[in-house]
């Protein structure tokens, strides 16, 4: 017989107690198990929220406080992942089975556990028989061929298991990796310098794949277009890439551009470039649509411009002065910078408006110079006016111009 005594403990596991009896003190081991906890649970996380390269899997075992005998922890990697390494940590658990702490240093492989080439762990040494809880952190690499060229979400489901006392208990977790597209492109509109030049860009390797040496992009223009100028290649910060990291070759006809990466590519880049339409964009081109197709590593993307506005002659309302009862009109002439000979224009003034014949201002938008009266001639007609170039401008010019003039109106 012995006298009853209370036992004060603040954590689960094996505890040695002294039991006073009539015959003297007796030492006894008791095991305190938590109210909750799990035999095994699993979670995961990526090395990056977007375009990850690695997944870290945390396998937590025995927060339920059972006796482990030569326990085995395994976590075979699913298709698309490669096992890299595993580290084992001791966990501190409270009486509810909740983890309250993790050891600073991992256990020692070969002394505290054995691990095979697939990452299967067998506890040994002082942990061959234990009530201890553990965390096994597995590191895995996402295979390059698993990263989708078209971008999107790729799920990775992984099942770990704890084998103890002849029983195997599984725990699974799914992590969804999000990737950008390998190849995408955009149309950035007409160049501000005119000359029928248009701006494009390619967004490349937004999934941050490890692309092999010799990777290429082939970009092809449709219709009456050709590549012009030098493309600019930048990273996501806007920094221009070293030109030694890529080669650009444009075909003899100017319609195909090949960009090669002799050392491969491991980052996202942007390629900005220009094309020029080689025929006049005028009233007869009102339905002109430009297209541009790029291909790389089995991916193809085509981008259109929508309808391209004519660049030969565009008329617009520049200003209205109600106090002076005047309207200022503007013609943009030859913004496409085509060669013009014997250029002339006829304009009709709507009823209710009166032409101010002294208001004409002709400007060369290339040189920024205002033309003299010797460079052009304005003739009033019964319905409006006509204007034509004189002298050298009449013979030939590829500059662009603006023509402004005013009309007067009477209030209703």
């Amino acid at each position: 017989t012995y006298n009853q005594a209370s036992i004060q403990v603040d954590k689960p596991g094996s505890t040695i107690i002294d039991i006073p009896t009539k015959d003297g003190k007796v030492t006894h081991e008791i095991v305190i198990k938590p109210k909750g906890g799990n035999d095994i649970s699993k979670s995961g996380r990526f090395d990056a929220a977007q375009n990850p390269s690695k997944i870290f899997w945390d396998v937590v075992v025995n927060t339920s406080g059972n006796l482990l005998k030569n326990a085995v922890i395994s976590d075979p990697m699913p298709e698309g992942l490669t096992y890299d390494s595993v580290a084992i940590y001791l966990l501190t658990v409270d009486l509810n089975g909740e983890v309250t702490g993790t050891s600073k240093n991992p256990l020692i492989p070969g002394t505290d556990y054995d691990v095979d080439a697939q990452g299967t762990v067998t506890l040994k040494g002082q942990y061959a028989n234990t009530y201890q809880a553990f965390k096994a952190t597995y590191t895995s690499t996402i295979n390059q061929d698993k990263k989708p060229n078209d971008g999107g979400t790729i799920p990775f489901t992984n099942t770990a298991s704890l084998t103890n006392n002849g029983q195997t208990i599984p725990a699974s977790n799914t992590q969804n990796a999000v990737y950008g597209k390998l190849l995408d492109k955009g149309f950035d509109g007409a160049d501000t310098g005119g000359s029928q030049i248009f701006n494009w860009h390619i967004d490349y390797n937004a999934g941050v794949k490890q692309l092999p040496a010799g990777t290429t992009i082939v970009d092809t223009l449709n219709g009456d277009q050709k590549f012009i100028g030098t493309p600019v290649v930048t990273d996501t910060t806007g920094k221009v890439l070293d030109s030694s990291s890529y080669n650009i070759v444009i075909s003899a006809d100017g319609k195909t551009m090949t960009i090669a990466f002799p050392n491969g590519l491991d980052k996202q880049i942007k390629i900005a470039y220009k094309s020029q339409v080689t025929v006049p964009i005028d009233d007869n081109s009102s339905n002109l649509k430009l297209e541009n197709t790029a291909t790389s590593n089995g991916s193809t993307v085509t981008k259109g411009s929508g309808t391209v506005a004519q660049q030969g002659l565009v008329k617009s309302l520049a200003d209205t002065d109600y106090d002076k009862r005047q309207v200022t009109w503007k013609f943009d002439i030859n913004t496409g910078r085509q060669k013009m000979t014997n250029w002339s224009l006829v304009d009709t003034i709507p009823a209710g408006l009166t032409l101010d014949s002294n208001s004409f201002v002709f400007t060369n938008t290339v040189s920024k110079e205002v033309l003299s009266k010797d460079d052009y001639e304005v003739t009033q007609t019964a319905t409006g006016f006509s204007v034509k170039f004189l002298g050298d401008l009449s013979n030939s010019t590829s500059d662009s111009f603006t023509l402004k003039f005013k009309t007067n109106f009477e209030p209703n």
Side-chain angles (χ1 to χ4, degrees), residues 72-203:
V72 175
I73 304 168
S74 65
D75 193 17
M77 296 298 143
E79 185 271 331
L81 295 182
T82 299
Y83 163 76
D84 291 338
S85 63
V86 64
I88 310 298
Y89 297 88
L90 300 179
L91 297 178
T92 303
V93 180
D94 65 17
L95 292 172
N96 293 314
E98 299 292 333
V99 175
T100 58
T102 304
S103 64
K104 181 178 180 181
N105 298 316
L107 300 185
I108 301 172
T111 299
D112 299 320
Y113 65 93
D114 290 327
V115 58
D116 66 14
Q118 286 72 46
T120 298
V121 171
T122 302
L123 297 173
K124 60 185 278 189
Q126 63 178 313
Y127 301 109
N129 291 277
T130 182
Y131 294 97
Q132 175 67 48
F134 302 88
K135 179 177 73 174
T137 297
Y138 286 85
T139 300
S140 60
T141 295
I142 301 171
N143 298 343
Q144 292 300 311
D145 59 5
K146 194 67 175 178
K147 299 178 181 181
N149 284 352
D150 292 335
T153 301
I154 302 297
F156 293 94
T157 299
N158 198 353
T159 300
S161 64
L162 170 67
T163 300
N164 184 48
N165 289 326
Q167 183 180 14
T168 298
I169 306 170
S172 297
N173 182 263
T174 298
Q175 294 295 308
N176 295 302
V178 179
Y179 293 96
K181 292 181 178 181
L182 174 70
L183 182 65
D184 203 359
K185 71 186 312 178
F187 174 68
D188 300 320
D191 195 77
T192 55
S195 299
Q196 299 188 163
I197 295 175
F198 297 90
N199 297 303
W200 308 82
H201 73 268
I202 292 174
D203 291 311

Side-chain angles (χ1 to χ4, degrees), residues 291-312:
E291 282 190 350
N292 191 337
T293 299
T295 61
S296 180
N297 285 26
S299 293
T300 299
V301 60
T302 298
K303 185 67 178 181
S305 65
T307 300
V308 174
Q310 69 149 307
Q311 296 190 355

Side-chain angles (χ1 to χ4, degrees), residues 186-400:
F187 174 68
D188 300 320
D191 195 77
T192 55
S195 299
Q196 299 188 163
I197 295 175
F198 297 90
N199 297 303
W200 308 82
H201 73 268
I202 292 174
D203 291 311
Y204 192 59
N205 199 27
V208 194
K209 298 182 73 171
Q210 298 283 337
L211 300 176
T215 293
T216 61
I217 307 169
V218 178
D219 196 271
T220 305
L221 300 173
N222 80 321
D224 296 308
Q225 292 185 87
K226 66 178 181 180
F227 290 101
I228 187 171
T230 302
V232 178
V233 183
T234 57
D235 62 19
T236 54
T237 68
K239 181 181 178 180
V240 176
L241 264 63
D242 190 322
S243 59
S244 65
S245 63
Y246 61 89
N247 299 315
I248 298 178
V249 176
I250 298 191
S251 62
D253 63 1
K255 297 184 68 62
T256 301
M257 175 175 64
T258 302
I259 306 166
F261 301 91
N263 301 316
L265 186 68
D266 62 359
K267 63 179 66 178
Q268 180 180 353
I269 62 171
K270 178 179 180 179
I271 306 162
Y273 57 98
K274 301 175 186 291
S275 71
Q276 184 176 43
V277 176
T278 56
V279 297
I281 304 176
D282 51 25
D283 287 339
N284 297 323
S285 309
S286 59
N287 293 320
L288 178 64
K289 294 182 180 180
L290 307 179
E291 282 190 350
N292 191 337
T293 299
T295 61
S296 180
N297 285 26
S299 293
T300 299
V301 60
T302 298
K303 185 67 178 181
S305 65
T307 300
V308 174
Q310 69 149 307
Q311 296 190 355
L313 182 68
V314 176
K315 183 179 182 180
S316 60
L317 175 64
D319 184 55
T320 302
D321 188 330
Y322 289 98
D323 291 333
K324 294 182 179 180
R325 298 175 182 174
Q326 282 186 331
V327 177
T328 301
W329 303 90
K330 177 186 176 184
F331 280 105
D332 290 297
I333 301 163
N334 198 32
T335 55
R337 302 288 300 278
Q338 297 296 297
K339 182 178 180 180
M340 301 188 301
T341 59
N342 298 315
W343 179 86
S344 64
L345 173 148
V346 176
D347 190 45
T348 300
I349 303 299
L353 298 179
T354 303
L355 177 66
D356 181 351
S357 59
N358 296 316
S359 64
F360 286 90
V361 178
F362 227 131
T363 305
N364 184 317
T365 58
V366 177
S367 66
K368 310 302 181 185
E369 295 178 352
V370 176
L371 302 188
S372 73
K373 299 296 184 181
D374 296 330
D375 293 323
Y376 64 97
E377 179 181 81
V378 177
T379 302
Q380 286 191 253
T381 66
T383 57
F385 68 91
S386 65
V387 60
K388 64 181 181 180
F389 282 150
L390 302 175
D392 291 340
L393 289 180
S394 177
N395 292 333
S396 177
T397 182
S398 58
D399 287 351
S400 56

